[in-house]
Amino acid sequence: MAREKSITKRVLNYIFTRSKQPVLLKDLLVATKQYNQGMEVDAGRLGFRLKLSRAYIVYIILVCLVLIPVSLLTHTALAKIDSHISIVGGMVITALIFMGFNFFKDKVVELMTKEVITRAWSLHFPYFAFEEYSKKFVKIFDQAMKEEVSKRDLQKYILEKISSI
């Protein structure tokens, strides 16, 4: 489990560029709201950007790790079968590879979004666990936006409201 997280973290650090600037409170709350609703979060607000060429390299490596062993196992059987089946199979696999990159890209962006949000959350609200309090904070944030609370008073407003709950 720890090794898996380490590999994922290394891949994310390789694929993405991160800003040195901290995530602003309002941007964090907007991103948390979008993330909790299952919407796509603006990566610019969170300070990261996908390096597309590196994402392609990682994806190609992953595809090769899967495709080469499968090809070695099925080569002799497919060589004896009608060549038309192999051609159609090759077309389907090629289509799946190209479609799979979009899914891969969406997944790594989602993982990076969660990592950046949880890290920024621990900076802005160190005493409140993200999983437990994020939905409560978003409700309070929506209320603050309706009441037109200024940016500089936003954190104070949210902490006062959460402490009264």
Side-chain angles (χ1 to χ4, degrees):
M1 182 73 169
R3 183 173 171 86
E4 183 179 309
K5 285 186 178 182
S6 173
I7 292 171
T8 303
K9 193 168 191 136
R10 283 185 181 183
V11 167
L12 291 177
N13 288 336
Y14 179 72
I15 292 177
F16 290 98
T17 300
R18 293 185 190 188
S19 172
K20 303 282 187 235
Q21 300 295 320
V23 178
L24 301 174
L25 177 65
K26 187 173 182 180
D27 291 339
L28 172 64
L29 292 169
V30 169
T32 302
K33 180 179 178 179
Q34 291 173 338
Y35 182 78
N36 286 342
Q37 293 175 347
M39 297 172 52
E40 186 175 334
V41 178
D42 181 19
R45 283 189 151 188
L46 293 177
F48 67 89
R49 182 179 58 84
L50 177 70
K51 294 178 184 175
L52 197 57
S53 59
R54 290 186 177 188
Y56 275 119
I57 291 169
V58 171
Y59 182 70
I60 288 169
I61 290 169
L62 289 174
V63 167
C64 287
L65 287 174
V66 172
L67 209 56
I68 290 174
V70 169
S71 296
L72 290 173
L73 292 173
T74 60
H75 178 72
T76 55
L78 290 175
K80 295 177 184 176
I81 298 178
D82 185 22
S83 63
H84 294 91
I85 295 172
S86 295
I87 293 170
V88 171
M91 290 171 35
V92 169
I93 290 172
T94 302
L96 290 174
I97 290 171
F98 283 104
M99 290 184 332
F101 180 74
N102 289 328
F103 292 111
F104 170 77
K105 186 173 77 168
D106 290 343
K107 186 63 177 174
V108 294
V109 167
E110 181 183 329
L111 290 171
M112 187 65 171
T113 299
K114 182 167 184 174
E115 182 180 320
V116 170
I117 287 175
T118 53
R119 182 178 295 159
W121 190 271
S122 67
L123 290 175
H124 287 285
F125 307 112
Y127 301 109
F128 301 98
F130 173 75
E131 290 79 18
E132 186 178 342
Y133 287 97
S134 65
K135 291 185 171 93
K136 294 175 186 176
F137 274 76
V138 168
K139 287 179 185 176
I140 295 170
F141 172 65
D142 287 339
Q143 185 180 359
M145 291 296 101
K146 288 177 187 173
E147 295 177 16
E148 298 178 2
V149 175
S150 67
K151 283 184 183 180
R152 65 185 174 117
D153 296 331
L154 186 59
Q155 187 169 14
K156 180 181 174 188
Y157 176 86
I158 290 173
L159 291 175
E160 285 175 358
K161 289 291 185 178
I162 201 72
S163 64
S164 67
I165 293 178

